[in-house]
Amino acid sequence: MHSHSHGESDNYTCIGPLSSILTHFRYLTTLRSSSRTAEYHSIVIFRLSAPSDASLLVYAMESTCPHLGADMSHADIEESGLDVVAVCPWHRYDFNLKTGQSETGLKACTFDVQIRPSGDERQQSYVWIENPGAGTWEIVEIRPVSEEFADPPDLSKLTINEAKSDLTGPTTLTSDHNQEPNSLLEFAILVLNTADPEQKVEKTRQAVAAFRTGKIKSVGRNTTLRPPDVPPRHDLRLVAPGKVTKRGKAGSVKSRIAILHALANIEQWAIDLAWDMIARFGNTRFGTEVLPNQFFLDWIKVAEDEAKHFSLLRRRLEELGSFYGAHTIHAGLWASARQTAQSLSARLCIIHLVHEARGLDVNPTTIAKFRAAGDFESVKTLEIIHHDEITHVTAGHRWFTFVCEKEGVDPVQTFRAQVKAHFAGALKGPFNEEDRRKAGMTPDFYEDLRGELNSSAIDDDSVGREGNVEINYESPEKR
């Protein structure tokens, strides 16, 4: 890593102040081309020395192994003579962190990292990373890889965020089929068939850890197993969306509990939706080309986030004297999943770029209501969720534009056509344009757009006002 003056930035992108990469030793960074908005690149940043060291060592490498696409964020770091190498967790291929060269003859993409002074009175240093392609790039996301790489380790966070369970003991793909999953798609189907929410969270963590560390190395694109039409639910009272517990405006503890319970229900379905993306569409092909491993890495990260969100909400409900299952729940969100079960493009549009993007619009209002009520612990939870959801909409945009590129169609026009075909009613504002834009959703995608799906095409119990599938993303004051 070299020192560099602040002005020489033609081929580099600033990822933030140096202090932003000092809490952990590894960060996953996603960049998007400013001019080619369908072009994304995921990079792992490795910080190998303590912040107090005079010679700070920071490296950047592509996030997937060039051999078979393993996740390099969990690579072992080893010394090899005078060099430092990242060792792939799947097949132990080693790659020089500076040059990308491997003794196997393969080469990984590496990117120069520079620490530059701010050049102003703040006297702050900033981290710049070499661009992965021509033109200017913007940072879509930078997040610690996991609490496993915290500096120093925070053991209390491991209980919320990390998948520390091993794969000992029997797991089931269905309730009557005892078999340990040997592929990611089989694990996805296992999670989808798990009715108990706490077991669903635990198996999600097991699956993510197994795929990242190489305990399972196969995606399983050729599996003959199929995901369930509707994931089962355990010991929960399922009702039509219009008959769920009224939530109020968050002014009382009772109201806040009802809102948090409704959000926990959404998060439980969101865990299933991430795994259904993998299980239902993982064998998608474009001619002879299969989905890249980055697709699966992105969606297991989404599943892991949704499991974290559910756990945070469940814990907060218990802190407020309630529990998950105390109120009725609905399956409105899954109605849209069934409506889009035959098309990867439609699924990405409706679930992630319509429903989940709607969450970006209303979450700030919900957070403001909880803050006004003085419930700052819930605010912390909701802010974590909102930050993560921006990256989930980004994942939807990334893979929707990927599909459009492979199919040779325009993303904006295709999105609008998919909404008209698979959604009932208008896309309602006001829109959170700032956070939507962070996720790649410019106003030309969603402004003045109405779905033309006949509400009779959806199960009547899942239909809300104007024929919209009612998923309870409406802001509290509208309830």
Side-chain angles (χ1 to χ4, degrees):
M1 187 189 67
H2 309 287
S3 177
H4 209 287
S5 65
H6 183 71
E8 295 177 32
S9 57
D10 289 347
N11 298 313
Y12 288 76
T13 296
C14 181
I15 65 170
L18 177 60
S19 58
S20 68
I21 66 163
L22 298 183
T23 61
H24 293 71
F25 290 109
R26 301 183 187 187
Y27 292 83
L28 181 65
T29 304
T30 303
L31 296 92
R32 180 172 57 226
S33 169
S34 299
S35 58
R36 303 176 301 281
T37 54
E39 189 172 339
Y40 285 81
H41 210 95
S42 297
I43 295 170
V44 181
I45 295 174
F46 298 94
R47 179 174 62 80
L48 304 185
S49 55
S52 58
D53 287 358
S55 57
L56 190 66
L57 297 176
V58 185
Y59 298 94
M61 174 179 282
E62 61 180 311
S63 65
T64 55
C65 176
H67 177 215
L68 291 177
D71 183 0
M72 292 300 288
S73 70
H74 282 67
D76 291 333
I77 304 300
E78 299 177 358
E79 292 184 0
S80 177
L82 298 177
D83 297 319
V84 181
V85 298
V87 182
C88 172
W90 282 15
H91 298 101
R92 306 301 296 171
Y93 286 18
D94 63 320
F95 298 92
N96 186 299
L97 279 175
K98 183 176 291 186
T99 67
Q101 295 288 351
S102 170
E103 293 179 354
T104 64
L106 294 173
K107 184 176 181 180
C109 291
T110 57
F111 306 91
D112 186 37
V113 181
Q114 301 177 353
I115 307 299
R116 308 180 186 177
S118 60
D120 56 26
E121 67 279 359
R122 288 176 294 179
Q123 298 297 309
Q124 192 171 21
S125 295
Y126 285 80
V127 182
W128 293 74
I129 190 169
E130 182 182 4
N131 289 339
T136 58
W137 292 72
E138 57 184 339
I139 299 296
V140 172
E141 175 185 18
I142 178 168
R143 67 156 72 185
V145 166
S146 76
E147 294 308 311
E148 179 181 352
F149 303 110
D151 180 22
D154 183 349
L155 298 180
S156 67
K157 291 185 178 180
L158 294 178
T159 60
I160 295 298
N161 294 322
E162 292 310 298
K164 287 301 182 184
S165 301
D166 60 28
L167 300 182
T168 58
T171 54
T172 58
L173 298 180
T174 62
S175 59
D176 58 354
H177 183 77
N178 289 326
Q179 179 182 330
E180 184 174 292
N182 57 26
S183 73
L184 185 63
L185 265 67
E186 287 186 3
F187 231 135
I189 294 168
L190 166 63
V191 177
L192 286 163
N193 281 307
T194 300
D196 182 84
E198 292 188 30
Q199 291 183 22
K200 187 182 294 289
V201 167
E202 180 61 23
K203 289 175 181 177
T204 290
R205 292 169 173 167
Q206 289 180 3
V208 172
F211 193 63
R212 282 177 176 164
T213 61
K215 288 182 179 178
I216 54 173
K217 300 180 177 70
S218 170
V219 169
R221 292 182 176 89
N222 297 320
T223 182
T224 57
L225 297 171
R226 298 300 300 159
D229 287 339
V230 181
R233 289 292 182 262
H234 173 69
D235 201 24
L236 295 170
R237 293 171 291 156
L238 194 66
V239 299
K243 297 180 180 180
V244 294
T245 306
K246 299 301 181 184
R247 297 187 298 280
K249 300 180 179 181
S252 66
V253 173
K254 180 180 178 181
S255 173
R256 293 196 297 278
I257 286 173
I259 293 169
L260 293 174
H261 196 281
L263 291 174
N265 176 50
I266 290 176
E267 296 297 344
Q268 186 180 6
W269 288 112
I271 298 170
D272 286 325
L273 285 165
W275 286 118
D276 196 69
M277 180 72 75
I278 291 170
R280 195 171 302 277
F281 301 107
N283 62 355
T284 299
R285 283 173 167 79
F286 305 94
T288 59
E289 186 177 351
V290 298
L291 288 165
N293 262 34
Q294 188 64 53
F295 174 88
F296 301 99
L297 293 173
D298 280 359
W299 291 108
I300 66 170
K301 181 175 74 70
V302 172
E304 181 182 42
D305 283 349
E306 307 295 16
K308 176 184 71 175
H309 299 168
F310 177 83
S311 296
L312 289 169
L313 289 165
R314 177 178 55 80
R315 185 177 70 179
R316 186 61 189 143
L317 285 169
E318 292 170 356
E319 290 171 347
L320 291 172
S322 187
F323 61 94
Y324 185 62
H327 296 288
T328 54
I329 67 164
H330 66 88
L333 188 54
W334 199 259
S336 282
R338 298 181 72 177
Q339 171 64 27
T340 58
Q342 305 305 314
S343 168
L344 174 57
S345 175
R347 172 63 64 85
L348 289 163
C349 284
I350 302 305
I351 296 298
H352 299 285
L353 303 184
V354 173
H355 288 315
E356 202 158 18
R358 177 60 179 158
L360 302 186
D361 301 333
V362 303
N363 288 342
T365 301
T366 303
I367 291 170
K369 292 285 185 180
F370 275 72
R371 183 177 286 111
D375 188 349
F376 300 113
E377 288 303 313
S378 293
V379 166
K380 291 177 184 177
T381 293
L382 296 175
E383 286 179 338
I384 290 170
I385 292 172
H386 182 69
H387 176 269
D388 288 347
E389 297 296 348
I390 296 173
T391 71
H392 300 174
V393 179
T394 302
H397 178 270
R398 176 177 189 168
W399 294 106
F400 172 64
T401 54
F402 172 88
V403 171
C404 289
E405 182 178 33
K406 295 301 177 185
E407 296 179 346
V409 295
D410 177 74
V412 172
Q413 294 307 315
T414 302
F415 172 78
R416 297 179 75 86
Q418 294 283 22
V419 170
K420 288 180 180 179
H422 296 285
F423 189 75
L427 299 193
K428 301 176 182 178
F431 300 109
N432 182 346
E433 289 193 17
E434 179 182 358
D435 287 343
R436 283 173 171 258
R437 195 176 295 273
K438 288 178 184 177
M441 294 292 290
T442 49
D444 51 342
F445 276 91
Y446 53 82
E447 284 187 338
D448 301 319
L449 181 58
R450 172 179 286 273
E452 298 175 357
L453 178 68
N454 188 329
S455 60
S456 64
I458 310 174
D459 186 332
D460 288 343
D461 284 345
S462 298
V463 177
R465 296 183 296 275
E466 283 194 285
N468 283 295
V469 175
E470 193 161 318
I471 62 170
N472 291 349
Y473 265 136
E474 288 84 3
S475 53
E477 68 267 21
K478 294 185 178 180
R479 286 284 170 181

